[in-house]
Amino acid sequence: MSFFNDYSEENKRRLYNVLTEEIDMLFTQATALDSTQRDEVAALQHKFKGICRYLNIENDMIKLAKDTKSELVANTLTLQQLLNDIESEI
């Protein structure tokens, strides 16, 4: 992920840790919601999209995402996996 290339080695690790904590918290919050809690799901989806924009991730997964719990959980898992995949590079 090119986002981390702009930071020193020390800052990369710190940013990575903060981001993984945020994504883990987002996943926990999303899974705790009931599918009928549309406003809460939409708020978490907005937070997810904000994190992706911060990381300069712009793709169809984000642009076409619907405000559903299942889509939010799936997208959050995908982002968690992406961060796990790049951990060794940081």
Side-chain angles (χ1 to χ4, degrees), residues 17 28 30 32 54 59 64 79 90:
N17 289 337
T28 300
Y54 180 75
N59 63 30
L64 302 176
L79 187 53
I90 296 179

Side-chain angles (χ1 to χ4, degrees), residues 32-42:
L33 290 176
D34 185 271
S35 297
T36 61
Q37 294 176 285
R38 297 185 191 280
D39 290 341
E40 291 84 351
V41 170

Side-chain angles (χ1 to χ4, degrees), residues 58-65 71:
E58 290 291 335
N59 63 30
D60 290 339
M61 176 181 83
I62 297 159
K63 291 178 185 173
L64 302 176
E71 187 135 352

